[in-house]
Amino acid sequence: MSPDHHFPTTRLRRLRYNPAVRRLVQETALDPGKLILPLFVRAGEGVRQEIASMPGNFQLSPDQLGEEVREAAGLGLGGIILFGIPAKKDATGSDSTNDEGIIQQAIRAAKEAAPDMLVTSDVCFCEYTDHGHCGVLNDKTGHLDVDNDATLELLGLQALSHARAGADLVAPSGMMDGMVGEVRDSLDGEGHENVAIMAYAIKQASAFYGPFREAVQSAPEFGDRKGYQMDVRNWREAMREAALDQAQGADILMVKPGMPCLDLLARLREETSLPLAAYQVSGEYAMIKAAAANGWLDGDACMREAMQAFKRAGANMVITYAALELAESF
Ligand code: PBG
C-alpha cells in the first residue's frame, strides 16, 4: 500500500489540525448502546459488597440489583450480563440449573426493574461448583478432568432455565466442545427460538481473569483451565473455535480477553459476517484502575482509548466493568 502522492502534496495533518475536520473523519464512535455491563449477584439480602480488586463493582443481592439495572437503563447501556454466586456450591453446580437458583432470581429482578433492558446470562458452571471447574468431573484419564459430554447436557438445562427466567441472550462460556449446538437445541426444544446465543467463541486460558475469580470465588480448587480454555499462543486454533461456534448456530461471537486478543478480533472480523463482541476482562479493568489510583495514568482517558481500540479492531459491542462510567463520560 502506498499513498497516492508524496509529501509535500500529501499531508495527513490536514485531516488533524482542525477539531471539526478530525470529527468528520473519525472512523469509529463510542456509544453507550454498544456497551454491556457485567453484574455479580449473590444470595442474600441487603448485600452490596465492593470487590476489592475491581473498584466500583459490587457483589449485589437480588434486592439490590434493581437500582443498578435502572441506572444502566437510564444511561442507555446496550445490556447487562449477569453472573451468579450461589449460597451453596456442589459437585455438579446444581444451583445453576434450578429455576429458583440465584441467577434465575437475578434475571427476574433485572427484568422487573427495567423490562426493556437487554439481559444476558453467563452460562457456565465454575461459579456454582465446589471444585471451581467449568463442568462436572470424571477421572477417565486417571486424573480428575472436566467431562465434556456430561457437562453439555447440564449446560443445555442451565441455558433453558435462564431462558425461562427471562434472559434475552445466553452466553455459554465454558469452552466445552459442542456447547453452542447443545444450547441451541435445548432452547429450541422448549420454544425459546428467539433467545440468542452470544458464544464465548475465543476464550483464552488467560491470567487476566484473576480479579473475576475473586469476585465470584471460582478459582479452581486444583489444576487450571488449560484443558478447556484456549492456549494463548494460538491464533489458527482460535479461528477454528469461532468457525465451529458459528456453524453450531451462534448469533454473536465473543473474543476474550480484550486487549491481549486484539489481533484475534481483527482476524475474525475479516473471516465472519456475524456481530462480534470484545470482553474487556477483570484484569484489564483492574490494571487501568490501579494505575489511575496511583496517579500513573489518566484512568478515564485510558478506558476510552481501550474502547476505541476494540471498535477499530472490529467489535460491534464491548463487555466492560467500566460501562456505567464510560456512558456518563460520552
Ligand atoms: C466463566 C467466566 C469467567 C469470566 C467470564 N466468564 C472466568 C474464567 O473463565 O475463569 C472471566 C471474566 C473476567 O475476568 O472479567 N464463567
Side-chain angles (χ1 to χ4, degrees), residues 198-252:
M198 178 197 276
Y200 283 71
I202 301 176
K203 180 174 177 180
Q204 306 271 29
S206 168
F208 287 96
Y209 308 151
F212 175 93
R213 292 179 188 170
E214 179 204 327
V216 300
Q217 290 132 12
S218 75
E221 200 171 61
F222 62 89
D224 53 36
R225 303 207 207 287
K226 291 185 180 156
Y228 36 101
Q229 297 181 351
M230 272 204 49
D231 191 326
V232 299
R233 295 165 185 80
N234 297 351
W235 69 265
R236 294 182 187 90
E237 186 186 355
M239 295 304 115
R240 293 183 76 197
E241 277 288 356
L244 282 169
D245 284 2
Q246 175 162 343
Q248 288 170 35
D251 299 287
I252 299 169

Side-chain angles (χ1 to χ4, degrees), residues 183-213:
V183 166
R184 186 71 270 157
D185 282 352
S186 175
L187 293 173
D188 290 355
E190 224 184 66
H192 297 290
E193 63 275 357
N194 289 326
V195 172
I197 298 177
M198 178 197 276
Y200 283 71
I202 301 176
K203 180 174 177 180
Q204 306 271 29
S206 168
F208 287 96
Y209 308 151
F212 175 93
R213 292 179 188 170

